[in-house]
Amino acid sequence: MRGIYIHIPFCRQACRYCDFFFSVSLCYKDEFVDRLVEEIRLRSEEHSGNTIDTLYIGGGTPSILSRENLERIMEAVHRCFSFRSDAEMTIECNPDDMDPAFLEFLKQKGFNRLSVGIQSFHEKDLQLMRRSHDADQAGRCVKDAASAGFENITLDLIYGIPGQSTQEWEENVLKAISLPIAHLSAYHLTFEPGTVFDHWRKKERLVTVHEEQSIRLYHLLREQLISKGFDHYEISNFALHGRMSEHNLIYWSGLPYLGFGPSAHSFDGSSRHWNISFLKGYMEGIAQNREIREYENLSIEEMYHDYLITSLRTRWGADPDHIGRHFGEAIRNHFDGKTEPFLEDGSMWIREGKVAIQPAQWLITDLILRELFTD
């Protein structure tokens, strides 16, 4: 196993666009951590001897936990697993949780990377999305984190928000890169089924952004960040000074990882499993030693599709030799034949023996994938 992900399923309030698994029942936090620590102990017995490269604590809102609970989680993972001496240790934080004392605590506990859910620096966007922080906190928290000694800070931004102008999006991007960050993730807003935003869209309370505007916002993002020295290394991710997300690179490279907490996924190289997305069921299952995982063994075709979905998100692309070795020559020949038209029209290119989508063409990744998949 190369990486560990821990899902903290608590939020103070529900953002209107989010479909991740979370709970606003904060009264269960202490009991949840009891069960999480037990899951880490039990599962570590299945994976003894591995040296872990990355730890990522996400959610939900990990920064909502008490210092005592975060300390217990960190003690459990270090007791049960061996980490590389320079392992990347990331925790997701909301700006309203990042006071100087809390940042100093995170530093002491070994976290060396912060992922901050900014989403927008404009008050109207934050209120529309029902974020728990305000525009002032959005900018101040990053400066506080840098003052606390964090050199590897990444921000999340969302574009395509209803009512967001091109100028407002550019202001968000410029504000972000004026701050002491090393990485930025930017995602187009999607109206996920079951979310408040999707309900409002169906009721015509919100209007989705026109495709041409989405393309305009994406290219503005690329141009501004590349001009400032950021490497556009994955569809939604940009890194400065080589500070790519090591944890996400494990996912995109098809390497094995472990997930703890409700809804967390794991992958061993050929099969996936995931914990149930039900907080009470998760806690009761751990307490009563019942199975809380669901499993999926992947066919050769499914593993090929997964490989394409992850590798073609990155500037490195897919390795035809890897496809032949792991999925067979018939699939390799299929891949070679299906990529030929995209290579001819310039949507894809060959670099160092790998076939990749041109970064400027990443907006049509789904179209290309549909052609490259087997029937």
Side-chain angles (χ1 to χ4, degrees), residues 296-344:
E296 180 182 23
N297 290 314
L298 303 178
S299 67
I300 291 294
E301 289 79 8
E302 287 169 331
M303 286 191 283
Y304 164 67
H305 294 167
D306 277 2
Y307 176 70
L308 292 185
I309 289 168
T310 53
S311 64
L312 291 180
R313 293 182 61 91
T314 71
R315 63 174 169 82
W316 300 281
D319 183 351
D321 292 336
H322 174 93
I323 292 172
R325 286 194 306 271
H326 290 82
F327 313 126
E329 285 304 312
I331 289 181
R332 161 71 186 268
N333 293 335
H334 169 86
F335 175 82
D336 289 343
K338 292 294 185 177
T339 54
E340 189 172 339
F342 296 111
L343 291 168
E344 290 177 355

Side-chain angles (χ1 to χ4, degrees), residues 188-205:
H188 194 287
L189 178 68
T190 54
F191 292 78
E192 299 293 348
T195 61
V196 173
F197 270 11
D198 186 51
H199 176 70
W200 285 1
R201 178 187 61 82
K202 292 174 180 175
K203 297 291 186 180
E204 299 184 351
R205 286 184 60 182

Side-chain angles (χ1 to χ4, degrees), residues 353-365:
K354 294 185 178 180
V355 180
I357 299 172
Q358 292 264 19
Q361 300 297 318
W362 269 334
L363 288 176
I364 63 168
T365 296

Side-chain angles (χ1 to χ4, degrees), residues 105-346:
F105 164 78
L106 294 179
K107 194 78 177 169
Q108 292 173 358
K109 291 299 130 186
F111 291 102
N112 51 29
R113 185 172 185 268
L114 298 181
S115 178
V116 188
I118 298 289
Q119 316 313 355
S120 175
F121 293 100
H122 289 92
E123 197 66 43
K124 70 178 183 67
D125 294 338
L126 296 173
Q127 291 179 5
L128 177 66
M129 292 185 287
R130 201 168 182 257
R131 296 291 293 166
S132 61
H133 65 277
D134 59 35
D136 180 61
Q137 291 169 323
R140 188 175 66 246
C141 69
V142 179
K143 296 176 183 177
D144 288 344
S147 297
F150 285 97
E151 298 178 354
N152 196 355
I153 303 169
T154 179
L155 303 186
D156 284 357
L157 292 179
I158 292 177
Y159 63 101
I161 301 169
Q164 182 185 60
S165 69
T166 303
Q167 179 181 339
E168 288 168 341
W169 172 236
E170 184 170 21
E171 289 169 355
N172 275 342
V173 175
L174 293 176
K175 174 69 173 177
I177 57 182
S178 73
L179 295 169
I181 65 171
H183 189 280
L184 188 141
S185 300
Y187 305 100
H188 194 287
L189 178 68
T190 54
F191 292 78
E192 299 293 348
T195 61
V196 173
F197 270 11
D198 186 51
H199 176 70
W200 285 1
R201 178 187 61 82
K202 292 174 180 175
K203 297 291 186 180
E204 299 184 351
R205 286 184 60 182
L206 289 180
V207 179
T208 57
V209 174
H210 194 278
E211 183 178 351
E212 291 180 1
Q213 175 68 351
S214 295
I215 294 171
R216 188 159 35 244
L217 298 177
Y218 175 77
H219 286 298
L220 186 156
L221 170 74
R222 273 179 48 81
E223 290 162 8
Q224 289 289 356
L225 287 169
I226 291 172
S227 72
K228 300 298 183 183
F230 283 79
D231 175 16
H232 191 189
Y233 71 100
E234 192 268 349
I235 291 178
S236 303
N237 287 275
F238 301 78
L240 196 62
H241 308 313
R243 294 280 199 175
M244 294 171 282
S245 169
E246 292 185 38
H247 186 79
N248 283 342
L249 285 172
I250 289 173
Y251 300 152
W252 299 326
S253 302
L255 299 174
Y257 56 87
L258 280 173
F260 298 102
S263 80
H265 283 62
S266 301
F267 178 64
D268 66 7
S270 60
S271 66
R272 288 190 291 247
H273 63 261
W274 54 93
N275 291 344
I276 57 175
S277 299
F278 176 35
L279 178 58
K280 201 144 190 187
Y282 166 83
M283 294 190 299
E284 289 176 355
I286 297 292
Q288 299 169 16
N289 198 27
R290 295 201 314 262
E291 181 60 84
I292 58 164
R293 292 177 284 181
E294 298 176 340
Y295 294 82
E296 180 182 23
N297 290 314
L298 303 178
S299 67
I300 291 294
E301 289 79 8
E302 287 169 331
M303 286 191 283
Y304 164 67
H305 294 167
D306 277 2
Y307 176 70
L308 292 185
I309 289 168
T310 53
S311 64
L312 291 180
R313 293 182 61 91
T314 71
R315 63 174 169 82
W316 300 281
D319 183 351
D321 292 336
H322 174 93
I323 292 172
R325 286 194 306 271
H326 290 82
F327 313 126
E329 285 304 312
I331 289 181
R332 161 71 186 268
N333 293 335
H334 169 86
F335 175 82
D336 289 343
K338 292 294 185 177
T339 54
E340 189 172 339
F342 296 111
L343 291 168
E344 290 177 355
D345 70 16

Side-chain angles (χ1 to χ4, degrees), residues 25-70:
S25 299
L26 305 186
C27 60
Y28 292 111
K29 288 190 294 182
D30 291 344
E31 182 183 355
F32 162 74
V33 173
D34 290 342
R35 302 288 81 80
L36 175 66
V37 167
E38 180 67 5
E39 186 197 6
I40 291 169
R41 184 189 68 79
L42 290 169
R43 297 270 304 282
S44 67
E45 297 172 359
E46 305 170 10
H47 302 282
S48 60
N50 288 304
T51 298
I52 307 299
D53 295 333
T54 68
L55 171 70
Y56 192 106
I57 302 184
T61 310
S63 56
I64 205 173
L65 292 182
S66 68
R67 297 182 191 187
E68 292 77 16
N69 278 334
L70 281 172

